Amino acid sequence: MKQKNAGRLFESLNITLLFILAVLCLAPLLHIVSLSLSSGTEITSGRVTIFPRGFNIESYQQMLQDVSMFRSLLFTVVLTVTFTVLCMLMTILAAYPLTKKGLKGRKFILYFIVLTMYFGGGVIPDYMLTKGLHLLNSMWALILPGLISPFYMIIMMSFFRSIPQGLEEAAEIDGASFNGILMRIILPLSVPVLVTLSLFYAVGRWNGFSDSLYYITDPKLYPLQLKLYQIVMNSMLVGQDAAERLSQLENPILPESLKAASIIFSIVPIVIVYPWLQKYFVTGTMLGSVKE
């Protein structure tokens, strides 16, 4: 009985702790949503918390009138899809051969790849290399430098190792080629890890900001995060005189409200994708960590 009560107590404390953490994670997001849907007078008075006050959607209306926002959204979608497809291709082509013990120099190649997780050239050498390759102000400057993640490659290798070797041996006996085994047996059995890592790559690229800040100066090639950065910086340049003029309006649109609306606009697409793929997370990341 004592053990049963202790289990219930632990479960209750665990649920309470998770609920508190969930509230702490959601509170900033709810505050941003409230700012985007609140009137300028309520925001100025500091009464906006996690619920909108003086509900209005003028910030969204003004933001959606900016054609460059949709151009940045379309470019970011194309960039993210291209980046994810190429990254998964490179990760698969690197991970699968490195799981084969018969591959000559396998350990050296693996150690060499893992070494890049701890040491890098730095921002300046990366910029000089990108400039030397004439990739500045191009989509490829945002794709090629991060084309493969050693950490994700190791996760995929672990998953491939968890697949019974007997399946590959049976396919070899039936005359299947190396590529045939990979395409017809390994990849269909690896859907959870493929979907999970694809989402990780996509989210990383969608939220990428620093590389576009370094390599992109053409406004037509601004990803959504860089466009958001420009909006934030422009709002910070609003002087005191402009702030006073806004405060005199009956229902002003404050820069804080416009920034909040832009943030929500940038995160909605990726948030929509998450629930559809969430079921693969635990399977994709945990199965690869169990070695038989």
Side-chain angles (χ1 to χ4, degrees), residues 258-273:
L258 189 59
K259 286 190 295 184
S262 302
I263 292 173
I264 299 302
F265 179 80
S266 66
I267 66 175
V268 164
I270 205 70
V271 169
I272 294 175
V273 175

Side-chain angles (χ1 to χ4, degrees), residues 60-249:
Y60 288 97
Q61 291 175 345
Q62 181 174 335
M63 179 196 64
L64 294 177
Q65 291 175 358
D66 187 357
V67 179
S68 62
M69 288 294 294
F70 292 96
R71 184 172 60 237
S72 294
L73 175 62
L74 179 60
F75 175 74
T76 306
V77 170
V78 174
L79 174 65
T80 301
V81 172
T82 305
F83 178 81
T84 303
V85 171
L86 293 178
C87 283
M88 289 304 299
L89 178 63
M90 294 296 296
T91 304
I92 292 171
L93 294 179
Y96 184 61
L98 288 174
T99 60
K100 304 303 176 184
K101 296 182 180 180
L103 178 65
K104 295 183 179 179
R106 180 176 66 94
K107 291 185 177 180
F108 172 78
I109 296 173
L110 182 58
Y111 290 151
F112 188 79
I113 294 175
V114 172
L115 187 66
T116 62
M117 296 175 60
Y118 303 99
F119 301 97
V123 175
I124 295 178
D126 288 345
Y127 179 84
M128 294 176 62
L129 177 61
T130 303
K131 183 178 180 180
L133 295 174
H134 305 287
L135 295 176
L136 296 181
N137 281 324
S138 71
M139 183 177 66
W140 298 108
L142 307 179
I143 294 178
L144 296 180
L147 204 54
I148 186 171
S149 168
F151 179 69
Y152 295 161
M153 187 199 72
I154 292 173
I155 293 178
M156 187 169 290
M157 287 178 59
S158 299
F159 194 98
F160 287 162
R161 290 195 184 104
S162 68
I163 298 176
Q165 186 67 26
L167 294 176
E168 297 186 48
E169 294 175 353
E172 290 179 359
I173 294 175
D174 291 338
S177 63
F178 181 86
N179 294 331
I181 294 174
L182 176 62
M183 297 299 297
R184 298 179 182 179
I185 297 178
I186 301 300
L187 295 185
L189 294 175
S190 305
V191 171
V193 73
L194 295 178
V195 174
T196 301
L197 295 186
S198 296
L199 185 59
F200 288 167
Y201 274 124
V203 172
R205 180 60 271 168
W206 185 274
N207 293 328
F209 161 72
S210 59
D211 54 351
S212 57
L213 181 63
Y214 300 148
Y215 306 141
I216 304 298
T217 57
D218 185 358
K220 295 181 180 180
L221 296 177
Y222 279 180
L224 202 54
Q225 301 302 327
L226 184 56
K227 179 64 178 178
L228 179 60
Y229 169 78
Q230 295 293 333
I231 293 175
V232 173
M233 293 302 296
N234 291 336
S235 65
M236 293 176 62
L237 297 177
V238 176
Q240 183 64 30
D241 294 338
E244 291 178 357
R245 289 196 299 270
L246 285 172
S247 63
Q248 295 174 359
L249 298 177

